[in-house]
Amino acid sequence: MTRFKATIAYDGTDFSGFQEQPGLRTVQSEIEKVLRRLNSDQELKLQMAGRTDSGVHAYGQVIHFDLEDSRSTERIRFALDTQTPADISIWKLEKVGENFHSRFTAHEKIYEYLLDNSFSRSPFKRRGQAWFRYPLDLELMQEAIKKIEGQHDFEGFTATGGTVEDKVRMISQASVEKIDETSFKFTFRGNGFLYKQVRNMVGTLIKIGNKKMPVEQIDQILRTGNRQLAGPTAHPEGLYLKEVIYHDESK
Amino acid sequence: MTRFKATIAYDGTDFSGFQEQPGLRTVQSEIEKVLRRLNSDQELKLQMAGRTDSGVHAYGQVIHFDLEDSRSTERIRFALDTQTPADISIWKLEKVGENFHSRFTAHEKIYEYLLDNSFSRSPFKRRGQAWFRYPLDLELMQEAIKKIEGQHDFEGFTATGGTVEDKVRMISQASVEKIDETSFKFTFRGNGFLYKQVRNMVGTLIKIGNKKMPVEQIDQILRTGNRQLAGPTAHPEGLYLKEVIYHDESK
């Protein structure tokens, strides 16, 4: 058996998220259908670096699985890429050591959030960007997002009902920029993210950019952990798992 | 009655082209449904600058129609924008003189063609870019596309079965560039385009870029009008009607 690491992309629009759910179309079940064929019709389970919710996209999601190494790596990649549906792409496949684990050995993740800020929603951005039609002040959002960098308890930015006890995480980089005439890109790099954390942070930053919340409220949310102080959860269609970073020794 | 000029965008993926066709979902019929509501439930026909085929997009298509001027222009635009489906956007509406005609007074049009040249088709580009997975030489395509500029008889680049007799057109600008790591953008500006002309020119340029056809064959196609010498028709999903240009006096 050989362990394979695959770097994959998917348009999350028509999936009920990444993780397998009975009766629903998910990224995991579509890939495992093809893995089964490559595994002499025996079930083959994959592990992913991070679940993504319904409607959320990825262009650097990482998965791993163990398979008999009887074909060339490129042949397996090509089979996976072309036999999965058009909204999934398997663009990289590598052999890794048996200690590699897509989730447990991941060091950091990078998420991006794209927001269409035009007054008339673009038909070309509607699947891959969320939409907010009211004015946004870039400088206010930049000031606010810098307060998110560093090690904090992110309780105030997570959804209630999570099972994780320790909500302290390190965000090593957080930034927002304009990427064209009408769209903004938010980027967050960190060692772990809580359930709906990125979308809650973006929803809060949008309120600040729209001048419906003072910049300083970020400090208060981080200090008190009070979810009521934060903005609404931003829509899923703007969110991308961009990259999963591993230490070299984990390969 | 007032004449209104609207500048619109649409994602052509799920339309059977622009023009009305019984029983099919077209851009024209979706817009006319809303126009009828705005016109006291009386049928209201629109005119468009140029038809686009099934799967072809636009972000600067121009239409016009005549409507009682009893509401503000922004109110009419907003109603049209929000009451049409999400894959149509009405982003600009202006009052124009009665001599304005979206098709007949158009001076030039600009078309763009986007091509994803990655070896694994991007799930995010599959609706808005065509795909060609084999190598393309940018310089060869740039050399070839320059030969298309100028006034020529484009018989060799049109689909058979067209009804237009005179196939001489002026292309004032034609260029190709790389827009990111894997995609190319072709741009054509001219005073008129024959049926499938842009897609046939792109199909030919792809063959040249892939070194399956010499650059000089462009001259031969233009000289002889022989459709057999040109490349295949490129797929519709890469094509955009980008802009329709009017002389100021035609407004």
Side-chain angles (χ1 to χ4, degrees):
Chain A
M1 285 300 210
T2 301
R3 182 151 292 187
F4 289 94
K5 170 192 178 190
T7 309
I8 72 174
Y10 46 87
D11 171 352
T13 312
D14 302 322
F15 290 106
S16 299
F18 187 94
Q19 198 173 34
E20 201 172 20
Q21 289 184 74
L24 294 176
R25 183 175 190 263
T26 70
V27 179
Q28 182 173 11
S29 57
E30 291 294 337
I31 297 175
E32 286 183 351
K33 264 188 230 169
V34 183
L35 284 176
R36 190 190 178 105
R37 273 181 240 149
L38 297 175
N39 193 38
S40 319
D41 261 331
Q42 302 296 303
E43 184 179 83
L44 200 167
K45 291 308 224 182
L46 62 83
Q47 299 286 332
M48 81 291 282
R51 279 172 298 182
T52 50
D53 282 335
S54 190
V56 173
H57 320 286
Y59 56 97
Q61 170 77 281
V62 173
I63 61 173
H64 80 267
F65 52 84
D66 296 326
L67 186 67
E68 210 64 65
D69 184 19
S70 53
R71 287 151 293 203
S72 80
T73 305
E74 172 52 20
R75 201 168 151 197
I76 299 169
R77 186 205 67 77
F78 185 77
L80 274 169
D81 190 25
T82 53
Q83 291 179 37
T84 45
D87 43 4
I88 298 177
S89 165
I90 313 294
W91 60 272
K92 198 171 173 189
L93 187 70
E94 305 157 84
K95 293 184 195 177
V96 287
E98 58 180 18
N99 291 327
F100 176 86
H101 190 291
S102 51
R103 185 158 77 254
F104 302 141
T105 64
H107 180 56
E108 283 193 296
K109 284 188 202 136
I110 301 174
Y111 282 95
E112 274 179 5
Y113 194 94
L114 300 182
L115 186 67
D116 176 10
N117 188 220
S118 52
F119 67 98
S120 167
R121 189 173 194 175
S122 164
F124 306 109
K125 293 178 174 174
R126 84 205 136 95
R127 292 169 68 96
Q129 300 193 14
W131 182 50
F132 185 78
R133 65 166 290 188
Y134 304 101
L136 286 175
D137 186 310
L138 177 61
E139 283 178 30
L140 284 179
M141 294 195 292
Q142 284 174 331
E143 202 187 322
I145 205 168
K146 280 297 150 211
K147 293 173 174 290
I148 286 174
E149 283 187 350
Q151 183 165 294
H152 303 283
D153 184 321
F154 287 99
E155 166 101 49
F157 287 111
T158 189
T160 49
T163 53
V164 183
E165 287 291 317
D166 179 8
K167 287 163 181 159
V168 175
R169 297 289 183 276
M170 176 70 187
I171 293 193
S172 56
Q173 193 235 325
S175 60
V176 52
E177 60 184 314
K178 256 197 128 164
I179 52 169
D180 61 31
E181 267 180 58
T182 56
S183 291
F184 291 93
K185 180 167 81 177
F186 300 80
T187 306
F188 301 93
R189 176 177 176 147
N191 65 356
F193 292 88
L194 304 166
Y195 188 53
K196 297 214 170 145
Q197 182 186 337
V198 176
R199 287 164 58 190
N200 288 339
M201 293 191 298
V202 171
T204 305
L205 291 164
I206 290 172
K207 275 196 102 163
I208 290 169
N210 189 229
K211 302 185 180 172
K212 295 284 185 288
M213 187 190 281
V215 171
E216 296 69 31
Q217 198 151 328
I218 295 275
D219 302 317
Q220 228 182 318
I221 299 163
L222 291 172
R223 201 172 55 239
T224 63
N226 184 352
R227 177 75 188 85
Q228 304 306 315
L229 294 174
T233 307
H235 288 209
E237 69 269 24
L239 185 60
Y240 293 75
L241 173 52
K242 188 201 173 185
E243 197 178 336
V244 185
I245 296 154
Y246 298 89
H247 282 151
D248 282 343
E249 54 270 29
S250 70
K251 278 214 194 167
Chain B
M1 285 299 213
T2 301
R3 182 151 291 187
F4 288 94
K5 170 191 178 188
T7 309
I8 72 173
Y10 46 88
D11 171 352
T13 311
D14 302 323
F15 289 107
S16 298
F18 188 95
Q19 199 173 33
E20 200 172 21
Q21 289 184 73
L24 296 176
R25 183 175 189 263
T26 69
V27 180
Q28 181 173 12
S29 56
E30 291 295 337
I31 297 175
E32 286 183 350
K33 263 188 230 170
V34 184
L35 284 177
R36 190 189 178 106
R37 272 181 242 148
L38 297 175
N39 193 37
S40 318
D41 261 331
Q42 301 298 303
E43 183 178 86
L44 200 168
K45 291 310 224 183
L46 63 82
Q47 298 285 333
M48 82 286 294
R51 279 172 297 183
T52 50
D53 281 335
S54 191
V56 174
H57 319 287
Y59 56 96
Q61 170 74 284
V62 173
I63 62 173
H64 79 268
F65 51 85
D66 296 326
L67 186 67
E68 210 64 65
D69 184 19
S70 53
R71 286 150 293 203
S72 80
T73 305
E74 173 52 22
R75 203 170 151 194
I76 299 170
R77 186 206 67 78
F78 185 78
L80 272 170
D81 191 25
T82 53
Q83 292 178 38
T84 45
D87 44 4
I88 298 177
S89 165
I90 312 292
W91 60 272
K92 198 171 174 189
L93 187 70
E94 305 157 85
K95 292 184 197 177
V96 287
E98 58 180 17
N99 290 326
F100 176 85
H101 189 291
S102 52
R103 184 157 77 255
F104 301 141
T105 64
H107 180 56
E108 283 192 298
K109 284 187 201 137
I110 301 174
Y111 282 94
E112 274 179 6
Y113 194 94
L114 300 182
L115 186 68
D116 176 10
N117 188 221
S118 52
F119 67 99
S120 166
R121 191 173 193 174
S122 163
F124 306 109
K125 293 178 175 177
R126 84 206 136 96
R127 292 169 67 95
Q129 300 193 15
W131 182 49
F132 185 78
R133 65 166 291 185
Y134 303 101
L136 286 175
D137 186 308
L138 177 61
E139 283 179 30
L140 283 179
M141 293 195 293
Q142 284 174 328
E143 201 187 321
I145 205 169
K146 279 299 151 210
K147 294 174 175 289
I148 285 173
E149 284 188 349
Q151 181 165 295
H152 303 284
D153 184 320
F154 286 99
E155 166 102 50
F157 286 112
T158 190
T160 50
T163 52
V164 182
E165 285 291 317
D166 178 10
K167 286 163 181 159
V168 175
R169 297 290 182 276
M170 175 71 188
I171 293 193
S172 55
Q173 194 235 325
S175 60
V176 52
E177 59 184 315
K178 255 195 130 164
I179 52 169
D180 62 30
E181 267 180 55
T182 56
S183 291
F184 291 94
K185 179 167 81 175
F186 300 80
T187 306
F188 301 92
R189 176 176 177 149
N191 65 357
F193 292 88
L194 303 167
Y195 188 53
K196 297 211 171 148
Q197 182 185 337
V198 175
R199 288 163 59 190
N200 287 339
M201 293 191 299
V202 171
T204 305
L205 291 163
I206 290 172
K207 276 197 102 163
I208 290 170
N210 189 229
K211 301 183 180 172
K212 295 283 184 288
M213 187 190 280
V215 172
E216 296 70 30
Q217 197 152 326
I218 296 274
D219 301 317
Q220 225 182 321
I221 299 163
L222 291 172
R223 203 172 53 240
T224 63
N226 185 350
R227 178 74 189 85
Q228 304 306 315
L229 294 174
T233 306
H235 287 209
E237 69 269 24
L239 185 60
Y240 293 76
L241 172 52
K242 189 203 174 184
E243 198 179 335
V244 185
I245 296 154
Y246 297 90
H247 281 152
D248 281 342
E249 56 269 29
S250 71
K251 279 214 191 165

